Amino acid sequence: MAAVLAAPMSRIRSRGWGGRIGYLVLAAALIYMIVLPLYRLQSLAFADGARGYTSQYGRDDIGEVIWTTVQLAFFSLVIAMVLGTILAFATSRLPRKFAFLRIVPVLPIVLPAVANVVGWAFLLSPGPGYLNAAMRHLPWWNHLESGPIDIYTPTWIIILTGFGLTSFVYLFVSAGMASISAEHLEAAQTSGSSTIGVFFRVVLPLLRPSLIYGGGVALLLGLGQFTGPLLLGSNTGVKVLTTEMYRRVSESPSDFAAAAAAGSPLVVLGLVVVLGQKLLLGDQTRFVTHGGKAFKSAPVRSRWAVATIVVYGIVALVLPLIGLILVALTPYWSSSISWGLLTLDNFRTLFQTSDIMDSVVTSVVASSIAVLFCVPIGFMIANLLVRGRRYPVIRLVADLVSALPLGIPAVIFGVGFLLTYTEPPIILYGTRTVIVLVYIVLMIPFATRLQMTALLALGETYIEASATSGASSFTTNVRIILPLMRPAILSAVALMFILLTHEFAASLLVRSPTTQVMGTRLYDLWANGSYPLVAAMALLMTAVTGLGVALAMLIGGRNVLDNL
Amino acid sequence: MSGITISNLTKRFGSNTIVDDLELTIDEGEFVVLLGPSGCGKTTTLRCLAGLETPEGGTISFGDRTVFDAKTHTDVATHRRNIGMIFQSYALWPHMTVRDNIGYPLKVRRKKEALRSGAVDKAAAMVDTGHLLDRYPSQLSGGQQQRVAVARGLVAEPDLVLFDEPLSNLDARLRDQVRTQIHQLHQRLGFSAVFVTHDQSEAFALGDRLAIMKDGRLEQCDTPQRVFDEPGSDYVAAFIGMGNRLVLTRHHEGWQTANGDVLDLGSRSPERGGADEIIARLRPADLHLHRAVEDAPHGSTVLHATLVTTEFGGRHYDVLVDVAGERLTLQADTREHGAWLPTAEEGAPVVVSFNPTDVRTYAADPARSAERESVAV
Ligand SMILES: Nc1ncnc2c1ncn2[C@@H]1O[C@H](COP(=O)(O)OP(=O)(O)OP(=O)(O)O)[C@@H](O)[C@H]1O
Ligand SMILES: [Mg+2]
C-alpha cells in the first residue's frame, strides 16, 4: 500500500527516478498478468504449423458456429441498445413521486447471469416451464403438449442475452444523458416538440458518442457471451465461439491449441475496439466531468416512463426471481405446482453440503481479496493515466493493457490462465490463488476507469494546495486524495464485488473439482439436473451479492450504486 | 533567507513561450504585485515559483538556496520550498474542518510546537474567522472561505507567500475587506509575497512594487507611485487607467491631431529630433468637458470633439466623445453640466481641455498603429 500511495504525480513530482521505476514495475506487472496469458495462447495455437487453427477451423460446423456467434452478438446488441436507451430516457422523465424507480434499471445486476438464465429456463422451458404451462391454458394453445416457447433455441438465447446487456447500455447512455443540459430539452419543448419528437430530434443525436461507446462495449460482451449459450444451448446444439473454447478445453484430452484458435477472432475484435476507442476518444483527460446541471431535472411527468420502467423491472428481475423461488421451494420441478408440497428442504440440503458451502466461501474470499488488490492497482493506473504526462510510453501501455479485459471475453482469460498456471514455472491449478489472479485481471478495467473518473473530477487544485502547504505526495495521497475519493472507491468496490461473486465464465475454466465458486457449483448442479437445488443455489448467490452491496451501502451511504 | 531572485526564467507550453526570459528580484519582506491582462503569463510565473510547473530555462533562488536551475537540473519539489499559496478558487479541502484546513501546513511540516501553542487559533483570529473553526468549508461564505485560505497560507510562516488572484471570486465589498486584511497582515508579519492580479486598484493598494507583465516579459517594475506617475510605456499607461489615446503628429513647435487642432504639450512635448508621430495618453479624470473654447481654463490645451454618448453616473456623467476618429472617455460633473448635457444630441460639437502636465507621450510604434487600424476596420 505504501508504494501505491507514494505514486508520484507529474505536478507534484518526487523529482527523480522513483516514480519512473514504480510505474515501470506497474506496467510490467500488468503485462505479465494480462498480456502474457494471451500471448501463451497464441503461441500455442500457432505451434506445429498453426495446428490449433487448422484443427479448429477445419471442423465442419465452424461456419455455423461463427454465424451463430455473430447473430447472437448482433441481435442481442440491437435489443440492448433499444431497451437501454428507452430506459435511460424513461428514467430521466420520471415524475418526482416515482423518482425511486431510478434504481430499477441497475437492479438486475444484483441477479447473477446464471441465476437469470436458469430462472427463465424454469419459466419458459418447453415442457415444465411455468409460463409455458400457463400459456397452454389459453384457448388457442390448449392443444399443445409443450411450448409454445422453447427457451433452448437461438432466438430465445438471443433475447435473454439482449436483456442481460441492457443494464450495461443503460449505464453508458444515462451517463451520456447526464451531460445533456435540461436547457436543450426545454428549448425543444418550448418550440413545440412532442416527447417523441424531443427524443428523436434532440436526445438521440446528442447521445451519439455515448451510444457508440456503450454499443462497442455491448457488442464485445455479446460476442463473448458464454453463460446463456452454455446453459441453454448445450443440449440443442447451439454453439458459439466461447462455448467451443470451453468444449475444446474440457473434452479429453483437452486441446488448448484449438481453444486458443477458437478465441482468436474475439481477441482481435477486442483489440480493434480498444485501439479504436483510444483513437476516437483520444486523451481521456480532456473529458473533465460536466457539472451536475442534469437532464433529470426536467420537470416533465410521463406516465409511460413509469410504466416502461415497471414492466422492465418485472421482466428483468421479478419474473426470473419468481421462477427461481418456485422451483427452489418444490421437491422436484414440474409444470404444475403442488402448493401443499412446498418446502425449504432444498435450502437445508444446500447448507448441509459442505462443498457447496466451500464454494460460497471461496467466492466471497476470492472476490474480496481480488477487490482489495484491485483498488490500489486501479488507483495507481488511474494516477498514471491522469497525471503521468511525463511518462508517455508507460502511460499508453498501461492505458491499453488495462482496458483489454473489458474488450476480451472472460472465457479467453480463463483458458489463458488455466494454460499458464497448469505448467511450470508457477503451478497454481486447483488453488484459490489462481481464481484471485484471474478475478484481479477481470476487474482492472473497472477499478481503473471508476477511479480515473473520480480523479479527473477532483481536479488539480486540492492537490496543489496540499503540496504548497508542504505535504509530500505520500501525505497528499493519504490525507487529501483518498478521503475525497472515498465515495467513488466504495462504489467501485461494490460493483466489483457484485461482478465477481457472479463470475462464471472465467471461473468455470480455472476451477478444479475441489476448488469451486458459487457459479461453477451451480453449473454442476444444473448439468446433473438437480433443478430445485440449482434454484436454491441461484437464490443463495443473489443473497450473498445483496449482502455485500448492503454492507457497502452501510459504509458508504445509500448512494453507493448511484455513482456507477 | 534574504529575497528571491528570478533570472532568465523561461517557460513554454509546446511551442508557445509563455514566460519569456523573465528577470525579477523580490526583497525580503517585500510585497510584489504581478499585474497584467489575461493570458500574459502571471499564473504561470507564480506556478514556476511554487514548483508546480517546470520551466525550460533560468534560475530561481530563495535567498542563497537555488530551488530551480535548468542547467544543473535542480528542481526542488513544491513541498520542500517552504511557501504558502492562496488560490483563486480557495481550494479548501471539503472533508476537513476549518481548523484542520488551517492546521494542515503545520501538521505536514511537523511543527508540533506551533500547533500546541495555538498557532491555528491565532491565524484564524488574524482574519476574523476564529468563530468558524469547527465548521466545514461548505458551511462558509465565499469571503470567509477566502479568509480561511489566507490563514492557511500564512500559518506556517513561509519564506514566500504566493497569491493567485485571491480576490477575484469575491463581490466588490468583500474584495475591499479581504484586501485590507491582507494589507494589514503583510504590514504586521512582513512576509515576502507575490500577488497576481489584473485589477489595477488591487495592485496600487497592496504592492510595494508593481511588476507589469506583457506577453511573458516584464514591461515595467517600480513602486505604485512611479508606475502611476510615469508609466514606462504606452502599454503600461493603457493598463493602469490612461485609457484615452491620441495619435499626434509634429507640427512646427506643437503637435497636431488628425482634425487639425494644434496642441501645446509644454514640458511633456518630446524633444526635437525625436519621432514625428507620438501617442498621447490621458486619464479620463484629467479631461474636462466644455461647450465652447472660451469656457476652457486659461493655460489648458484644447481639443475639438463631438459628443457620442452620455451615461448618468451619479455625481458625474460618463461621457464618450470623438476626436478625429479617436474615442475619448471623460467624466463631467453633474451640477456643472446637468443643464445641457443630458439633452445634447449625438454629434453635437463640444470642447475638451486638459492640463499639459497630465499628458504622457510615447513614440508611436508604426507596426502597432497599423495593426490597430486594420483591427478597427
Ligand atoms: N497547462 C497549460 N498548457 C498549455 N498552455 C497553457 C497551460 N497553462 C497556461 N497556458 C497558456 O499560457 C498562457 C498564460 O497563462 P496564464 O494562466 O499564466 O495567464 P494569466 O496571466 O494568469 O491569465 P489570467 O489573468 O487569465 O489568469 C495562456 O495563453 C494559456 O493559454
Ligand atoms: Mg491566472
Side-chain angles (χ1 to χ4, degrees), chain B residues 37-44 88 164-165 196 198:
Chain B
S38 187
C40 70
K42 307 179 296 289
T43 298
T44 308
Q88 182 173 1
D164 190 2
E165 306 202 35
V196 162
H198 54 240

Side-chain angles (χ1 to χ4, degrees), chain B residues 94-208:
Chain B
H95 64 294
M96 295 184 185
T97 59
V98 168
R99 182 186 300 282
D100 291 338
N101 264 283
I102 297 179
Y104 188 83
L106 297 174
K107 216 169 277 165
V108 299
R109 289 185 171 119
R110 305 218 165 73
K111 299 197 172 175
K112 300 216 176 71
E113 182 51 39
L115 273 173
R116 237 175 289 121
S117 64
V120 171
D121 298 77
K122 255 182 254 161
M126 282 186 321
V127 290
D128 295 333
T129 53
H131 57 298
L132 305 173
L133 280 171
D134 294 314
R135 294 211 203 159
Y136 283 92
S138 59
Q139 301 165 320
L140 304 183
S141 73
Q144 291 168 334
Q145 290 187 48
Q146 194 54 294
R147 294 199 313 250
V148 171
V150 170
R152 182 180 69 184
L154 298 177
V155 70
E157 299 179 1
D159 292 339
L160 176 65
V161 185
L162 304 168
F163 297 85
D164 190 2
E165 306 202 35
L167 308 179
S168 59
N169 281 353
L170 304 179
D171 70 38
R173 202 175 49 83
L174 274 176
R175 200 178 307 166
D176 290 348
Q177 207 180 325
V178 181
R179 183 180 82 188
T180 309
Q181 231 152 19
I182 291 176
H183 189 58
Q184 289 171 343
L185 285 174
H186 178 246
Q187 292 190 321
R188 253 177 53 204
L189 306 175
F191 48 85
S192 312
V194 179
F195 186 103
V196 162
T197 179
H198 54 240
D199 180 316
Q200 46 153 320
S201 61
E202 239 166 75
F204 286 137
L206 289 170
D208 293 326

Side-chain angles (χ1 to χ4, degrees), chain A residues 108-344:
Chain A
I109 68 167
V110 183
L111 191 64
V114 276
N116 190 33
V117 167
V118 301
W120 277 104
F122 293 146
L123 296 173
L124 289 179
S125 167
Y130 295 128
L131 276 181
N132 270 330
M135 283 189 280
R136 287 201 292 271
H137 288 297
L138 294 170
W140 56 91
W141 276 323
N142 60 11
H143 61 284
L144 293 175
E145 293 281 304
S146 70
I149 289 171
D150 184 356
I151 190 136
Y152 302 116
T153 55
T155 310
W156 281 90
I157 296 175
I158 287 172
I159 293 175
L160 276 191
T161 307
F163 256 84
L165 296 179
T166 299
S167 288
F168 268 94
V169 174
Y170 167 83
L171 283 179
F172 280 102
V173 176
S174 63
M177 286 221 178
S179 65
I180 300 177
S181 77
E183 277 108 54
H184 280 121
L185 299 182
E186 280 156 12
Q189 254 160 4
T190 49
S191 36
S193 285
S194 62
T195 300
I196 304 259
V198 171
F199 181 74
F200 280 102
R201 273 192 287 272
V202 184
V203 176
L204 269 192
L206 285 174
L207 278 181
R208 217 172 52 189
S210 17
L211 283 176
I212 291 174
Y213 192 82
V217 174
L219 178 69
L220 291 176
L221 291 175
L223 284 169
Q225 205 43 235
F226 179 62
T227 316
L230 183 71
L231 267 65
L232 299 176
S234 290
N235 294 330
T236 47
V238 181
K239 297 174 190 163
V240 292
L241 284 174
T242 50
T243 55
E244 282 294 280
M245 290 185 73
Y246 176 61
R247 221 157 273 138
R248 292 294 91 77
V249 172
S250 55
E251 66 199 6
S252 81
S254 45
D255 187 348
F256 279 98
S264 293
L266 303 177
V267 175
V268 170
L269 261 172
L271 284 174
V272 166
V273 171
V274 166
L275 284 171
Q277 280 177 345
K278 192 93 248 336
L279 289 180
L280 284 179
L281 294 179
D283 188 352
Q284 301 207 17
T285 55
R286 283 185 298 134
F287 298 92
V288 180
T289 49
H290 319 259
K293 265 276 164 61
F295 193 65
K296 38 190 165 248
S297 63
V300 216
R301 282 148 237 282
S302 302
R303 232 162 287 140
W304 70 264
V306 180
T308 309
I309 292 173
V310 168
V311 168
Y312 175 77
I314 289 174
V315 174
L317 194 62
V318 177
L319 282 181
L321 270 180
I322 290 177
L324 291 173
I325 292 171
L326 284 179
V327 177
L329 293 178
T330 52
Y332 52 90
W333 175 27
S334 80
S335 61
S336 58
I337 305 162
S338 335
W339 296 99
L341 294 180
L342 295 191
T343 165
L344 289 174

Side-chain angles (χ1 to χ4, degrees), chain A residues 102-103 487 490-491 552-554 556-564:
Chain A
R102 271 202 303 139
I103 186 90
L490 277 172
S491 288
M553 282 184 169
L554 211 63
R558 296 202 17 228
N559 47 8
V560 157
L561 285 183
D562 292 357
N563 292 342
L564 292 185

Side-chain angles (χ1 to χ4, degrees), chain B residues 96-365:
Chain B
M96 295 184 185
T97 59
V98 168
R99 182 186 300 282
D100 291 338
N101 264 283
I102 297 179
Y104 188 83
L106 297 174
K107 216 169 277 165
V108 299
R109 289 185 171 119
R110 305 218 165 73
K111 299 197 172 175
K112 300 216 176 71
E113 182 51 39
L115 273 173
R116 237 175 289 121
S117 64
V120 171
D121 298 77
K122 255 182 254 161
M126 282 186 321
V127 290
D128 295 333
T129 53
H131 57 298
L132 305 173
L133 280 171
D134 294 314
R135 294 211 203 159
Y136 283 92
S138 59
Q139 301 165 320
L140 304 183
S141 73
Q144 291 168 334
Q145 290 187 48
Q146 194 54 294
R147 294 199 313 250
V148 171
V150 170
R152 182 180 69 184
L154 298 177
V155 70
E157 299 179 1
D159 292 339
L160 176 65
V161 185
L162 304 168
F163 297 85
D164 190 2
E165 306 202 35
L167 308 179
S168 59
N169 281 353
L170 304 179
D171 70 38
R173 202 175 49 83
L174 274 176
R175 200 178 307 166
D176 290 348
Q177 207 180 325
V178 181
R179 183 180 82 188
T180 309
Q181 231 152 19
I182 291 176
H183 189 58
Q184 289 171 343
L185 285 174
H186 178 246
Q187 292 190 321
R188 253 177 53 204
L189 306 175
F191 48 85
S192 312
V194 179
F195 186 103
V196 162
T197 179
H198 54 240
D199 180 316
Q200 46 153 320
S201 61
E202 239 166 75
F204 286 137
L206 289 170
D208 293 326
R209 218 149 36 99
L210 306 192
I212 293 136
M213 280 187 79
K214 176 191 180 185
D215 301 338
R217 286 169 166 276
L218 279 196
E219 187 85 355
Q220 185 175 10
C221 187
D222 220 327
T223 62
Q225 189 70 51
R226 293 274 306 160
V227 171
F228 185 83
D229 288 342
E230 299 297 338
S233 67
D234 182 40
Y235 174 88
V236 175
F239 199 76
I240 54 123
M242 296 190 143
N244 291 320
R245 173 178 187 275
L246 278 175
V247 179
L248 303 175
T249 46
R250 195 181 288 279
H251 182 84
H252 304 300
E253 292 303 301
W255 292 89
Q256 190 174 36
T257 63
N259 63 354
D261 283 331
V262 177
L263 314 180
D264 175 7
L265 297 181
S267 62
R268 287 288 169 183
S269 178
E271 288 162 23
R272 282 209 80 93
D276 283 337
E277 192 178 66
I278 58 168
I279 290 162
R281 284 280 175 187
L282 283 154
R283 291 200 160 75
D286 294 335
L287 286 179
H288 308 287
L289 185 71
H290 314 283
R291 297 182 79 171
V293 175
E294 302 80 66
D295 302 341
H298 183 71
S300 64
T301 303
V302 180
L303 291 166
H304 286 90
T306 56
L307 197 61
V308 180
T309 59
T310 305
E311 281 172 11
F312 182 66
R315 275 284 164 75
H316 63 267
Y317 294 104
D318 288 301
V319 184
L320 187 63
V321 300
D322 184 302
V323 175
E326 308 256 17
R327 297 287 162 103
L328 306 186
T329 58
L330 57 87
Q331 292 171 351
D333 190 275
T334 323
R335 279 163 299 186
E336 197 180 325
H337 299 281
W340 66 280
L341 195 51
T343 55
E345 301 263 315
E346 183 182 339
V350 291
V351 168
V352 174
S353 75
F354 59 89
N355 186 333
T357 54
D358 291 333
V359 79
R360 298 293 177 271
T361 58
Y362 304 95
D365 172 357

